[in-house]
Amino acid sequence: MRPASARQRALAHGRWETSLLMRNGEQLLLTLVIPIGILLGLTMTDVLVQQAGPDRIPRAIATVLAVSVISSAFTSLAIATGFERRSGALRFLGTTPLTRSELLIGKFLATAAVTAVSTAAVCLVAVLVGWRPSASALWAVPVLILGTAAFAAWGMALAGLLRAEAVLAVANGLFLLLIMFGGVVIPAASLPGPMSVIAPALPSGALVTGLTDALVDGHAPSALATAVLLAWLAGGALVSSRTFRWS
Amino acid sequence: MPPPAVLVSDLVVRYGSRDAVAGLSFAAPAGRVTALIGPNGAGKSSTVEVCVGLRAATSGSVQILGIPAGTADAAALRSRVGVMLQDGGLYSSARPLALVEYIASLYPRPDDPATLLGALGIDPAGRTPIRRLSGGEQQRVKCAVALVGRPELVFLDEPTSGLDAVARRTFHDLIRGLVAQGTSVVLTTHLMDDVERLADQVVVIAEGRAVRSGTIAELVGEEESVSFRGPLHADLTGLRAVLPDHGDVIEDPRGHYRVTGAADPMVLSAIAAWCAQNGVRTADLSVGRRSLEDVVIALVGDL
């Protein structure tokens, strides 16, 4: 008997996870409503002084996309995986031909699909409110992929390390900390004391830097931002591969 | 003779300082139904978890379909094995057909999901999410996801829990159909009715070890016992005193009494005489073979 190939199983799991995510009302809120709401808030008001001026819209897009990636690839993924373990759904999958790496790839593909939908919606609304992107904005695509992979790896690592209820608390807490003090809403340079040094080394800070390079400055992401994201991806992949449990 | 579908040798599973499985050995023949029975905490679930790859053995060996567990390509072996877990295992927000179709996509030559669900009494066109199905319906969906990959070997953990009588009969027929096609089944259950209707081989487990194994006929044996019906919770102290060879009388279930020990005419005579002297009305005083449940309880205590 020739088993279904690893690629087929990973894709099948990616499709399955995507269908679950897209039918989840809470996820749609996180994917579409909140990012678009934040974008409109940032572009139509002077909530953040540093985002005033001609770069207001692309800076707002960078912020919103970073929030979207962190919420989808880290917070939502970690919480969903934690509760899948608690419900026994992961335990059952552990008895099927789906392997650990195929499950992780499938989850990344689903998260990437959700991020793509969110990005498309944000960009569409940004165009409607006056954004006129240049071709260099496409540099944001590899940054988003790298950022999604890095945060997904740490989301899976968190889900492997803690019980579901603890994952819920920690993932939401880290989300707020990263948004507020990780160089997302408040630029790293404007953060007080050592935070201004630490934030660019965090995946959130590097993600915003890379997106700003592409969307505001119109060039490839800086080597530092890319290296930081790659390092967090490698670390997250290592931890998640060691801590992942089916049950 | 084909190799056994499952061969467990000196299996030990240790949690901290406690051995959940303490040197268990048994073989589940290919193409047959093997029932693992025993009280809660006997080590049945831990054994199944090792067999299906969810837990590593502390020591000992397990062979699944002739392949040492944990050494073969996991996906290749798991393509040949189906598992129905007792707890959880379903995506509660999904619809039954969508879930079974997804699971089918992981296997190389799956059964048709809609046909399988229909055979189990679940409407494949139903749009109700799994969390809103009754317990019995959820149990049938679990059964479908275990079987949709057309496995050569199926592990079923408490498969008829929550099923009504009709659904249990349907399930029994389904399992018999699978076995007729050559599928091997390992059944873990507390329901002796399932065991008596389905099992070709029974392994009785207590405190992590196999205390007896064999066919039902071998386990029940030729030994007979005396039973009768009487008033609820009768005071049987006097009857115990007159039974030969220190026999005992057990009320189980209520109003049904079973006399342990030899079933000879002296026992029948003693019971009838005691009842007549004490004005105790009895019915169905009879000699018969012990039930499987009697044998298992005698071996391991309460199930």
Side-chain angles (χ1 to χ4, degrees):
Chain A
M1 183 192 304
R2 195 167 64 85
S5 72
R7 189 178 64 85
Q8 288 170 329
R9 289 191 299 264
L11 287 174
H13 190 68
R15 277 194 300 273
W16 172 247
E17 291 265 351
T18 305
S19 73
L20 289 178
L21 288 172
M22 293 301 184
R23 280 208 308 270
N24 183 327
E26 184 184 327
Q27 185 62 44
L28 285 178
L29 192 73
L30 284 169
T31 306
L32 295 174
V33 179
I34 291 178
I36 290 172
I38 296 175
L39 178 71
L40 293 174
L42 290 178
T43 54
M44 301 175 85
T45 66
D46 288 330
V47 173
L48 299 174
V49 175
Q50 65 275 4
Q51 287 183 334
D55 295 333
R56 170 189 288 204
I57 295 179
R59 283 189 189 281
I61 295 171
T63 299
V64 170
L65 290 182
V67 171
S68 180
V69 166
I70 298 169
S71 71
S72 298
F74 179 69
T75 311
S76 294
L77 180 63
I79 293 170
T81 305
F83 279 89
E84 279 171 13
R85 178 176 297 109
R86 196 179 74 162
S87 74
L90 279 188
R91 189 165 176 260
F92 171 69
L93 287 182
T95 70
T96 71
L98 189 75
T99 65
R100 172 190 306 208
S101 57
E102 291 157 13
L103 176 98
L104 296 176
I105 291 169
K107 280 186 173 290
F108 169 73
L109 291 175
T111 305
V114 168
T115 304
V117 169
S118 180
T119 301
V122 165
C123 290
L124 180 65
V125 172
V127 168
L128 291 176
V129 298
W131 183 45
R132 296 295 174 264
S134 63
S136 57
L138 288 172
W139 280 113
V141 174
V143 177
L144 285 169
I145 292 172
L146 191 54
T148 299
F151 276 104
W154 281 101
M156 292 301 296
L158 191 65
L161 284 166
L162 303 173
R163 287 182 302 110
E165 293 78 3
V167 171
L168 180 69
V170 173
N172 279 316
L174 283 174
F175 173 75
L176 289 174
L177 284 174
L178 289 172
I179 296 302
M180 297 308 297
F181 305 110
V184 179
V185 174
I186 305 170
S190 304
L191 287 167
M195 285 306 301
S196 62
V197 180
I198 294 170
L202 295 174
S204 51
L207 178 59
V208 171
T209 301
L211 290 171
T212 304
D213 289 340
L215 298 172
V216 178
D217 303 328
H219 57 69
S222 70
L224 179 63
T226 306
V228 168
L229 286 174
L230 281 170
W232 280 99
L233 169 58
L238 183 69
V239 176
S240 61
S241 67
R242 294 197 173 179
T243 60
F244 178 80
R245 294 171 286 126
W246 292 108
S247 58
Chain B
M1 187 173 173
V6 178
L7 182 60
V8 173
S9 306
D10 295 323
L11 179 66
V12 174
V13 179
R14 188 167 296 143
Y15 303 128
S17 60
R18 188 177 71 88
D19 285 351
V21 182
L24 177 67
S25 298
F26 71 90
R32 300 290 175 88
V33 178
T34 300
L36 306 182
I37 58 177
N40 292 325
K44 306 183 298 292
S45 293
S46 295
T47 301
V48 170
E49 285 178 350
V50 172
C51 291
V52 302
L54 287 174
R55 190 176 295 285
T58 304
S59 65
S61 68
V62 172
Q63 284 194 16
I64 304 296
L65 300 170
I67 299 169
T71 57
D73 172 26
L77 185 56
R78 287 188 290 186
S79 291
R80 302 167 61 192
V81 178
V83 181
M84 180 178 175
L85 298 170
Q86 183 182 2
D87 298 317
L90 299 176
Y91 283 86
S92 60
S93 63
R95 294 185 187 118
L97 181 60
L99 176 63
V100 180
E101 283 178 337
Y102 159 59
I103 298 301
S105 71
L106 302 175
Y107 288 86
R109 52 174 191 93
D111 212 340
D112 177 61
T115 305
L116 181 59
L117 279 173
L120 285 162
I122 298 289
D123 177 10
R127 301 182 65 79
T128 307
I130 289 168
R131 67 170 172 271
R132 294 210 182 115
L133 297 177
S134 70
E137 289 170 326
Q138 291 188 16
Q139 200 72 355
R140 281 179 263 173
V141 176
K142 276 191 200 174
C143 185
V145 296
L147 300 180
V148 73
R150 292 181 195 259
E152 297 168 50
L153 166 64
V154 192
F155 289 89
L156 303 169
D157 197 357
E158 301 289 349
T160 57
S161 167
L163 295 187
D164 59 37
V166 175
R168 281 176 61 201
R169 287 291 172 90
T170 305
F171 175 80
H172 292 161
D173 292 342
L174 186 78
I175 297 303
R176 285 198 201 94
L178 286 173
V179 173
Q181 294 167 25
T183 306
S184 309
V185 177
V186 175
L187 173 71
T188 309
T189 184
H190 287 102
L191 294 177
M192 290 303 111
D193 182 53
D194 283 355
V195 178
E196 287 173 333
R197 287 176 185 275
L198 292 173
D200 301 298
Q201 177 87 7
V202 178
V203 180
V204 184
I205 301 174
E207 296 178 348
R209 291 186 178 86
V211 293
R212 185 77 73 82
S213 64
T215 63
I216 292 174
E218 287 169 347
L219 261 63
V220 170
E222 298 299 315
E223 191 178 330
E224 294 179 322
S225 65
V226 176
S227 62
F228 62 91
R229 286 196 292 129
L232 297 182
H233 310 312
D235 181 359
L236 301 168
T237 312
L239 176 57
R240 290 189 181 100
V242 300
L243 286 173
D245 299 330
H246 309 291
D248 195 6
V249 188
I250 298 164
E251 183 181 9
D252 182 30
R254 296 192 313 162
H256 289 71
Y257 297 89
R258 184 169 52 82
V259 181
T260 63
D264 57 35
M266 292 296 290
V267 174
L268 288 170
S269 170
I271 294 169
W274 181 82
C275 288
Q277 287 165 9
N278 292 278
V280 175
R281 290 176 62 91
T282 61
D284 299 336
L285 177 61
S286 62
V287 176
R289 291 210 178 126
R290 296 180 302 168
S291 69
L292 179 63
E293 186 167 287
D294 292 337
V295 172
V296 174
I297 288 175
L299 284 168
V300 303
D302 280 344
L303 282 173

